[in-house]
Amino acid sequence: MPASRTAASESDQGSNVEALPTEPRRPGRPRDAGADEAILTATVELLADGGIAGLSMDLVAKRAGVGKATIYRRWASKEELVLDALKTAPPTIPTPDTGSVRGDLVAWAIALAKRFRDAPANDVLPHLIEAAVFDDRVRESLSAYLHGRQDTVRTILERGVERGELAAADVELVIDVLIAPFLYRRLMTGAPITTSFAKRLVDFVLGRPR
Amino acid sequence: MPASRTAASESDQGSNVEALPTEPRRPGRPRDAGADEAILTATVELLADGGIAGLSMDLVAKRAGVGKATIYRRWASKEELVLDALKTAPPTIPTPDTGSVRGDLVAWAIALAKRFRDAPANDVLPHLIEAAVFDDRVRESLSAYLHGRQDTVRTILERGVERGELAAADVELVIDVLIAPFLYRRLMTGAPITTSFAKRLVDFVLGRPR
Amino acid sequence: MPASRTAASESDQGSNVEALPTEPRRPGRPRDAGADEAILTATVELLADGGIAGLSMDLVAKRAGVGKATIYRRWASKEELVLDALKTAPPTIPTPDTGSVRGDLVAWAIALAKRFRDAPANDVLPHLIEAAVFDDRVRESLSAYLHGRQDTVRTILERGVERGELAAADVELVIDVLIAPFLYRRLMTGAPITTSFAKRLVDFVLGRPR
Amino acid sequence: MPASRTAASESDQGSNVEALPTEPRRPGRPRDAGADEAILTATVELLADGGIAGLSMDLVAKRAGVGKATIYRRWASKEELVLDALKTAPPTIPTPDTGSVRGDLVAWAIALAKRFRDAPANDVLPHLIEAAVFDDRVRESLSAYLHGRQDTVRTILERGVERGELAAADVELVIDVLIAPFLYRRLMTGAPITTSFAKRLVDFVLGRPR
DNA sequence: GATTAACCGAGACGGTACGTCACGTCTTTAA
DNA sequence: TTAAAGACGTGACGTACCGTCTCGGTTAATC
């Protein structure tokens, strides 16, 4: 469900078996589904080489073989388009399973640290953060996007709670505390994000190792 | 020391043995000292109403009654100017002194939470974050700026270490963990930054209250 | 007979001797006769307030409650539609009858001058003139439209010839000479079109009054 | 004096010898005189092949090696630019001198008829006529441009008056009557503009040949 | 006192992207 | 086959801002 955030969001999850009124089906020529894909693909490609800086709507349109108006019919702004493009190719970190919460979190944190170190075009997130200030839609999309990325940690923590390894404490807070420092260093202070940093962070959050 | 980052850095640490008071003093008309102030003032004002979005170099120049070249002679880019403008009006949170580390941190955290909630249109930091991606000088300035804001926490923590309340452990990490979640919520997830959140964060970092 | 210039010209002057009522009657849904009228009405209205500038095919379609394709099925271009719309509300000047050629022409010329002075925003003719350059069909329609407007003068002149007031000379040339200066001033030089101008023009064409 | 119709028209004909106040000389970087020329040249060229239809501001800018803003700083619209470009290459008809008014006018009229028949890109005048409706500046420029073209006829007529060949009658009216029919046929009715037509027109205006 | 060099305000410069608009065509489902 | 609805590719529009450059003129320290 990549697009149509501009148009009404018609029938989002209706997977009921009972023969619902068969969808409204608006009149007129339907949107070209291929265009969605072409546009998103073009966006992802341009984002890959050149980042946000190398991405203009004219370029996206040209590469996708599409009119600019066709883009603006589907996405209200460059940023909403980019957010959708990012969802298209989600580089989520796989959920590790080492048997212990500590092991899982360390594995996840090290992978995340590596990703932050390697990421070539980390200008996208900063740009979106800026855009979110001016546009609530972007704000929401960005928020949703990040929440998605938090799920790995949530899974690990909840698994630990089930196993009795962890008190069912303030999971949301822990998630923030685990993720925020990575972004803080990456985007703001510029401090290095080493493997050691990742380990120390996990240790700090779980309490010193026994 | 607001200006002259573009021009030669005249008298960097002045290690001349003879203690000459003469200064290098380049020939030609000296820079107008008033211009620095006028420019920064104009920048701060425009930033106040309209944020980064309502700030263009043409506008700053016009409002400061100054040529654009005069600005670029002193600051290399819009972002460096903005960073200097922010330093001009430093809204640091005063270091509390309640007698205990926990008390100090809670007081500080609640004040910080309030500030984040009240901040009118905090689009400046996001913009700088974005700009830092493309310009290392902005990156450095931003980093320095944030480190300055961390000093309050550092002071509190070191005071605690001296008093023996705290292990001299990983102060820098703790600082990150205390500050990062605020910015993470503010800029990225958009999650609310309540007083309760501030308290829980401090409690989590120091270990549960006994 | 306002429409169907694009489609086959079905039954042009209906001279079938046998009076067959059968009609060719093509298969499929017949054209909605009301649509012609709705479209022309919408066009005239939009032309009235806003002139050609405020007239887009999308607007006409919306106001007529009609699909754009329905318009293009009947008229080949915006300009042909406009030309038909103009014919719909023909603002011809009534043929005066004062008993003498000079009297008739003066009356006609003064009325025409008044019309040119009063015309609110005569941007339609200029637009058609421009469009005619690129499209021969518009050219022809425009030509026919103007010839229609010349008929008043032709009637007056021919009446004069019959009465023996006038030599049967170069009627077409005289028509041009009588009409062209009005349009020349109106559209090109912008010179004023006064009652005096109208009279002097007629006098000049007929020879000085005795 | 090709450009600066947007800016104040400062000191138009001041060729007085007596050391006038040396011109105001506005502050700031002066307009690049070369740009005027480059832009006009590009416009003329693009007009030559492609007419108004093949002329877009982006194209002019690119060909002139100039930013679009530089054009809009000098001319308020595409049409004003085109008018100036036309003045640059004025295709006036040379004033004939055959010894008699009738001879001169016939020669002029035949030449004009030929020009109208040959003119390849007669889409410019129609376009300007249309543009003049919306923009008084264009209206004035167009009017001035046409008045310039009328001078040939005026010269011929006045010469005739001096020689006593002609009554000092209504020269302006005669000019209109001589020129308007050409444009009327060319732009509106589309009637042919033959040599015969030219001769008959002159004969009609001067009275039948004796 | 003259020279010199860096400064000053003003504003024009080339470039790039923006988001909008209208054109005339095409593609749906329904009548 | 026509209808309404509306999406489609194209391409121009005029604006805004960037950071640089160019004027004539000013303001010191040096010659």
Side-chain angles (χ1 to χ4, degrees):
Chain A
M1 181 203 55
S4 62
R5 19 186 46 70
T6 296
S9 68
E10 82 228 40
S11 80
D12 255 340
Q13 61 280 76
S15 60
N16 329 29
V17 195
E18 296 300 321
L20 280 195
T22 64
E23 295 192 10
R25 187 62 176 93
R26 306 212 311 278
R29 176 173 176 175
R31 299 241 171 112
D32 180 351
D36 281 328
E37 204 182 296
I39 294 167
L40 287 172
T41 303
T43 305
V44 167
E45 288 171 7
L46 288 171
L47 236 32
D49 52 59
I52 281 274
L55 182 125
S56 76
M57 295 306 259
D58 292 75
L59 230 50
V60 172
K62 176 148 288 179
R63 181 182 276 241
V66 139
K68 247 200 301 183
T70 298
I71 305 181
Y72 281 103
R73 217 173 278 123
R74 292 164 155 81
W75 292 275
S77 68
K78 187 159 131 172
E79 285 73 27
E80 296 207 48
L81 169 59
V82 169
L83 270 165
D84 259 11
L86 292 183
K87 281 181 206 149
T88 298
T92 1
I93 290 172
T95 309
D97 193 355
T98 64
S100 76
V101 168
R102 183 178 303 267
D104 287 353
L105 283 183
V106 166
W108 166 85
I110 288 175
L112 186 62
K114 181 163 168 41
R115 163 149 310 162
F116 271 117
R117 283 199 307 275
D118 296 349
N122 261 101
D123 58 341
V124 175
L125 188 54
H127 181 86
L128 292 177
I129 289 171
E130 146 136 74
V133 175
F134 300 105
D135 188 337
D136 286 340
R137 312 269 287 264
V138 174
R139 149 113 294 149
E140 276 173 49
S141 296
L142 176 60
S143 174
Y145 177 64
L146 289 169
H147 270 101
R149 292 171 133 272
Q150 295 177 346
D151 285 345
T152 307
V153 182
R154 200 187 324 274
T155 303
I156 295 175
L157 291 176
E158 285 169 353
R159 216 153 51 187
V161 172
E162 278 172 28
R163 275 188 250 151
E165 268 187 86
L166 225 61
D170 202 343
V171 174
E172 290 309 314
L173 185 66
V174 174
I175 292 175
D176 282 4
V177 168
L178 274 170
I179 293 181
F182 283 94
L183 289 158
Y184 181 59
R185 293 200 158 193
R186 177 63 163 142
L187 301 180
M188 291 172 253
T189 66
I193 303 181
T194 60
T195 299
S196 156
F197 166 74
K199 281 187 196 152
R200 280 182 292 135
L201 180 61
V202 173
D203 283 346
F204 180 84
V205 166
L206 294 184
R208 304 302 164 281
R210 274 139 290 202
Chain B
M1 181 206 55
S4 45
R5 18 183 48 70
T6 297
S9 65
E10 76 221 45
S11 77
D12 253 343
Q13 56 279 75
S15 63
N16 24 357
V17 192
E18 301 300 317
L20 287 184
T22 44
E23 292 188 9
R25 192 60 174 100
R26 313 210 298 291
R29 174 175 176 174
R31 294 209 178 146
D32 179 352
D36 281 328
E37 203 182 299
I39 294 166
L40 287 172
T41 303
T43 306
V44 168
E45 288 171 6
L46 287 170
L47 236 32
D49 52 59
I52 281 273
L55 182 124
S56 74
M57 296 306 260
D58 293 75
L59 231 49
V60 172
K62 177 149 286 180
R63 182 182 275 240
V66 141
K68 253 203 296 183
T70 300
I71 304 181
Y72 280 101
R73 217 173 279 122
R74 291 161 156 85
W75 291 274
S77 69
K78 181 165 145 175
E79 285 73 27
E80 296 210 46
L81 169 59
V82 169
L83 270 166
D84 258 11
L86 292 183
K87 283 180 203 149
T88 297
T92 6
I93 290 172
T95 310
D97 192 355
T98 64
S100 76
V101 168
R102 183 178 302 266
D104 287 354
L105 284 183
V106 166
W108 167 85
I110 288 175
L112 187 61
K114 180 165 169 39
R115 163 148 311 160
F116 272 117
R117 282 199 307 276
D118 296 349
N122 203 341
D123 60 343
V124 176
L125 188 54
H127 181 85
L128 293 177
I129 289 172
E130 146 135 74
V133 176
F134 301 105
D135 188 338
D136 284 341
R137 316 182 45 146
V138 173
R139 148 115 294 147
E140 275 172 52
S141 296
L142 176 61
S143 175
Y145 176 65
L146 288 169
H147 270 101
R149 291 173 133 270
Q150 296 177 346
D151 285 345
T152 306
V153 182
R154 199 185 326 273
T155 302
I156 294 174
L157 291 177
E158 285 168 353
R159 215 154 50 187
V161 172
E162 277 172 29
R163 281 192 235 133
E165 268 188 87
L166 225 60
D170 203 341
V171 174
E172 290 309 313
L173 184 67
V174 174
I175 292 175
D176 283 3
V177 167
L178 274 170
I179 293 182
F182 284 93
L183 289 158
Y184 181 59
R185 293 201 157 193
R186 174 63 163 151
L187 301 180
M188 289 171 255
T189 66
I193 303 181
T194 59
T195 299
S196 156
F197 166 74
K199 282 187 195 152
R200 280 181 293 135
L201 180 62
V202 173
D203 284 346
F204 179 83
V205 166
L206 294 184
R208 304 302 163 283
R210 272 137 294 208
Chain C
M1 183 202 55
S4 51
R5 17 185 50 71
T6 297
S9 66
E10 78 226 43
S11 79
D12 254 342
Q13 56 277 76
S15 62
N16 26 359
V17 192
E18 301 299 317
L20 286 185
T22 44
E23 290 190 13
R25 192 58 173 94
R26 311 208 298 290
R29 174 171 172 175
R31 289 206 180 155
D32 179 353
D36 281 328
E37 201 182 298
I39 293 166
L40 287 171
T41 303
T43 305
V44 168
E45 288 171 5
L46 287 171
L47 236 31
D49 52 58
I52 281 273
L55 182 125
S56 75
M57 296 306 260
D58 293 76
L59 232 49
V60 172
K62 177 150 287 178
R63 182 182 276 241
V66 140
K68 254 202 297 182
T70 300
I71 304 180
Y72 279 101
R73 214 171 281 122
R74 290 163 157 84
W75 291 274
S77 69
K78 179 165 145 175
E79 286 72 28
E80 296 210 47
L81 169 59
V82 169
L83 270 166
D84 257 12
L86 292 182
K87 283 180 204 150
T88 298
T92 5
I93 290 172
T95 310
D97 193 355
T98 63
S100 76
V101 167
R102 183 178 302 266
D104 287 353
L105 284 183
V106 166
W108 167 84
I110 289 176
L112 187 61
K114 181 165 169 37
R115 164 148 311 160
F116 272 118
R117 283 199 305 277
D118 296 348
N122 203 340
D123 59 343
V124 175
L125 188 55
H127 181 85
L128 293 177
I129 289 171
E130 146 134 75
V133 175
F134 299 105
D135 188 337
D136 286 340
R137 318 187 39 152
V138 174
R139 149 114 295 145
E140 275 173 50
S141 296
L142 176 61
S143 175
Y145 176 65
L146 288 169
H147 270 101
R149 291 174 132 271
Q150 296 176 347
D151 285 346
T152 306
V153 182
R154 197 185 327 272
T155 302
I156 294 173
L157 291 177
E158 285 169 353
R159 215 154 49 188
V161 172
E162 280 172 28
R163 281 191 235 136
E165 269 186 86
L166 226 58
D170 204 343
V171 174
E172 290 310 312
L173 185 66
V174 175
I175 292 175
D176 282 4
V177 168
L178 274 170
I179 294 182
F182 284 94
L183 290 158
Y184 181 59
R185 294 202 158 192
R186 175 63 163 150
L187 301 180
M188 289 171 256
T189 66
I193 302 179
T194 61
T195 299
S196 156
F197 166 75
K199 283 187 195 153
R200 280 182 293 137
L201 181 60
V202 173
D203 283 347
F204 179 84
V205 167
L206 295 185
R208 302 302 161 284
R210 271 137 294 205
Chain D
M1 182 204 54
S4 62
R5 17 186 47 71
T6 296
S9 68
E10 84 227 39
S11 81
D12 256 340
Q13 64 279 75
S15 61
N16 329 28
V17 194
E18 296 300 321
L20 279 196
T22 65
E23 295 193 9
R25 185 62 175 92
R26 305 212 311 278
R29 175 173 176 175
R31 300 242 171 111
D32 180 351
D36 280 329
E37 205 181 295
I39 294 166
L40 286 172
T41 303
T43 305
V44 168
E45 289 172 6
L46 288 171
L47 236 31
D49 52 60
I52 281 274
L55 182 125
S56 75
M57 296 305 258
D58 292 75
L59 229 50
V60 172
K62 177 149 288 179
R63 181 181 276 241
V66 139
K68 245 199 303 183
T70 299
I71 305 180
Y72 281 104
R73 217 173 278 123
R74 292 164 156 82
W75 292 276
S77 67
K78 186 159 131 173
E79 285 73 26
E80 295 207 47
L81 170 59
V82 168
L83 269 166
D84 259 11
L86 292 182
K87 281 180 205 150
T88 299
T92 3
I93 289 172
T95 309
D97 193 355
T98 64
S100 76
V101 168
R102 184 178 302 267
D104 288 353
L105 283 183
V106 166
W108 167 85
I110 289 176
L112 187 61
K114 181 165 169 41
R115 163 148 310 162
F116 272 117
R117 283 198 306 275
D118 297 348
N122 261 100
D123 57 342
V124 174
L125 188 55
H127 181 86
L128 292 178
I129 289 172
E130 147 137 72
V133 176
F134 300 105
D135 189 338
D136 287 339
R137 312 269 288 263
V138 174
R139 149 115 292 148
E140 276 173 49
S141 295
L142 176 60
S143 173
Y145 177 64
L146 288 169
H147 269 103
R149 291 172 132 271
Q150 297 178 345
D151 285 344
T152 306
V153 183
R154 199 186 327 273
T155 302
I156 295 174
L157 291 177
E158 284 169 354
R159 216 154 49 187
V161 171
E162 278 172 30
R163 273 185 267 171
E165 269 187 86
L166 226 60
D170 202 343
V171 175
E172 291 309 314
L173 186 65
V174 174
I175 293 175
D176 283 4
V177 168
L178 274 170
I179 294 181
F182 284 94
L183 290 158
Y184 181 59
R185 293 202 158 192
R186 178 62 163 140
L187 302 180
M188 291 173 254
T189 66
I193 303 180
T194 60
T195 299
S196 156
F197 166 75
K199 281 187 196 150
R200 281 182 292 136
L201 181 61
V202 172
D203 283 347
F204 179 84
V205 166
L206 294 184
R208 303 301 162 283
R210 273 140 290 205

